Amino acid sequence: MKLQSKVRPQEKIPILILTGFLGSGKTTLLNYLLKNYQDQKIAVLMNELGDLDIDSQLLVQVDQSLIQLSNGCICCSINGSLVSSIQELLEREETIDLLVIEASGVADPLPIILTILGTDLRDRCQLETILTLIDAENFLNALEESEVAQKQIVYGDLLMINKTDLVEEEQVLMIESKIRQLKREPRILKCQNSVIPLSLLFNPHLAGDRFESLMEELQINHHHEHHSHSELNDGFQAVTYERTAPFRIRDFQLWIDQQMPRQVYRAKGWLWLKESYQRYLFQLSGTRITMEDDTWPGEQKTQLVFIGRNLDPNIIHQQLDQILIREPLNL
């Protein structure tokens, strides 16, 4: 399945904003989009929590068109660097057929929307769809714990309930009911493994009166004051861990089960394990853990990011350092 180019007034670049709470499947969806969009040029702008660009390492076909947005105050950094990043893309010679902006899993999408609509970018870009991914397995907990999860629903044009194969139909119906409590006449679809009908991503009519109402809402409710990074991310923070030494599988599993802070909601990264020559993509979302093997592209190292509330980086670093294997390896 391939997307077809469309003629747009004044050669405007279509923009897709991809949002969704931690672990909802945004990077998987980006990979799906890139694999099915090979005939044309796609640019990706990402805003990751933490110092390690784990998500960008997971993308296929990423080249010079990938720009990593800076960390820091979401409202200030995105409203500053997002504009300059898009302007840089517009100045390039090659044609861009689609620009995807992936928001952090704990980011309110409204500042991104209003940055595009409230600046000169509006004359050169067409905001077509705000796609919100929903983790069917963990969404109800996320909704209770995070105001951001609610905002991602409210401002989404297309709401995709993902990972429906992991839950019973009753759970999906409960999610749909919660969504309808937050949003009038929501457009809800269900999917697995972030596979969606790509034709749904282009909806030029959405750029009209609906977004004008968002501008009015900004003037009423959104005051651009400088807050800390954690405050603007609904209290979430990221702890990064990078070492050039491996773990034993059993030791790392015990740490996850017994010592990892319960406030960790999401974790991801690359694991170097003593028992294998492969590297492993480790992902934790709520109570679900997955690991996928891969080959090392270069130097072997462990790179992890833990996202949660009230995390103590020193304790996490100390505990993980205690189970690292520092003696010479005899594989």
Side-chain angles (χ1 to χ4, degrees):
M1 176 168 49
K2 299 291 189 295
L3 295 180
Q4 300 298 319
S5 295
K6 294 186 179 182
V7 178
R8 292 177 174 78
Q10 301 178 356
E11 300 292 331
K12 286 187 177 182
I13 297 176
I15 293 181
L16 163 66
I17 296 177
L18 177 56
T19 185
F21 202 66
L22 299 166
S24 58
K26 295 186 296 298
T27 302
T28 303
L29 189 148
L30 272 177
N31 266 320
Y32 175 71
L33 178 60
L34 289 167
K35 289 176 181 177
N36 289 278
Y37 203 53
Q38 296 175 356
D39 296 342
Q40 298 161 40
K41 191 71 172 180
I42 183 170
V44 181
L45 297 178
M46 303 178 69
N47 185 78
E48 279 199 278
L49 282 174
D51 300 325
L52 300 177
D53 57 343
I54 299 297
D55 281 350
S56 63
Q57 294 181 48
L58 302 180
L59 292 181
V60 298
Q61 303 175 34
V62 173
D63 52 22
Q64 296 88 349
S65 293
L66 175 67
I67 299 177
Q68 183 78 28
L69 296 182
S70 62
N71 292 323
C73 172
I74 284 291
C75 191
C76 297
S77 65
I78 284 189
N79 277 307
S81 62
L82 178 60
V83 172
S84 59
S85 297
I86 294 177
Q87 288 175 338
E88 180 182 335
L89 289 170
L90 294 174
E91 292 170 0
R92 297 189 180 193
E93 294 183 1
E94 66 264 38
T95 299
I96 296 173
D97 298 294
L98 175 65
L99 171 59
V100 180
I101 301 174
E102 181 192 355
S104 158
V106 291
D108 180 351
L110 184 59
I112 305 176
I113 298 167
L114 296 170
T115 295
I116 297 169
L117 299 174
T119 67
D120 292 341
L121 292 175
R122 186 172 186 173
D123 297 329
R124 302 189 63 186
C125 301
Q126 177 74 39
L127 182 52
E128 296 205 352
T129 302
I130 303 164
L131 172 61
T132 301
L133 270 181
I134 297 165
D135 181 349
E137 193 173 27
N138 294 305
F139 175 69
L140 295 176
N141 290 333
L143 203 61
E144 293 178 0
E145 297 175 4
S146 175
E147 183 180 351
V148 161
Q150 300 177 27
K151 291 180 178 179
Q152 292 168 349
I153 296 296
V154 170
Y155 297 123
D157 298 313
L158 179 60
L159 310 178
M160 301 295 304
I161 303 178
N162 192 24
K163 308 180 185 180
T164 55
D165 55 319
L166 301 179
V167 299
E168 300 293 333
E169 180 63 23
E170 180 182 356
Q171 175 92 341
V172 177
L173 293 175
M174 289 176 62
I175 293 172
E176 291 179 319
S177 175
K178 290 288 186 180
I179 290 173
R180 290 188 170 89
Q181 293 175 23
L182 293 170
K183 188 178 180 68
R184 289 185 302 172
E185 299 181 357
R187 217 165 36 128
I188 304 173
L189 293 174
K190 306 168 191 176
C191 66
Q192 301 175 10
N193 300 315
S194 300
V195 175
I196 68 172
L198 298 181
S199 59
L200 295 175
L201 301 183
F202 295 94
N203 297 281
H205 67 279
L206 295 174
D209 296 339
R210 172 166 151 18
F211 289 131
E212 292 295 343
S213 66
L214 288 179
M215 293 296 290
E216 294 176 3
E217 182 170 346
L218 176 69
Q219 296 174 358
I220 296 172
N221 299 322
H222 187 75
H223 303 288
H224 189 276
E225 301 173 355
H226 189 83
H227 299 282
S228 71
H229 180 58
S230 60
E231 288 175 326
L232 287 167
N233 282 291
D234 206 13
F236 284 86
Q237 65 186 107
V239 175
T240 59
Y241 182 83
E242 184 172 15
R243 298 289 189 272
T244 54
F247 297 113
R248 290 185 177 86
I249 295 177
R250 181 176 181 276
D251 292 340
F252 184 75
Q253 182 65 56
L254 285 174
W255 182 82
I256 293 292
D257 293 340
Q258 300 178 8
Q259 291 186 286
M260 186 185 74
R262 296 304 104 185
Q263 303 95 319
V264 171
Y265 194 92
R266 179 84 166 100
K268 56 188 173 181
W270 301 106
L271 279 177
W272 179 9
L273 299 174
K274 177 183 183 296
E275 293 85 351
S276 175
Y277 289 101
Q278 300 287 90
R279 73 169 180 172
Y280 287 85
L281 172 59
F282 167 79
Q283 299 208 58
L284 177 148
S285 181
T287 59
R288 185 177 64 252
I289 295 177
T290 61
M291 289 179 60
E292 300 175 24
D293 63 325
D294 192 7
T295 57
W296 289 100
E299 179 187 13
Q300 293 174 297
K301 63 174 66 173
T302 289
Q303 296 177 297
L304 297 169
V305 176
F306 301 92
I307 302 173
R309 287 191 174 101
N310 302 316
L311 303 180
D312 188 327
N314 293 327
I315 291 178
I316 292 176
H317 290 171
Q318 290 171 7
Q319 291 177 346
L320 289 175
D321 283 347
Q322 288 177 358
I323 61 173
L324 277 179
I325 302 175
R326 299 188 181 276
E327 69 267 18
L329 299 178
N330 296 309
L331 291 177

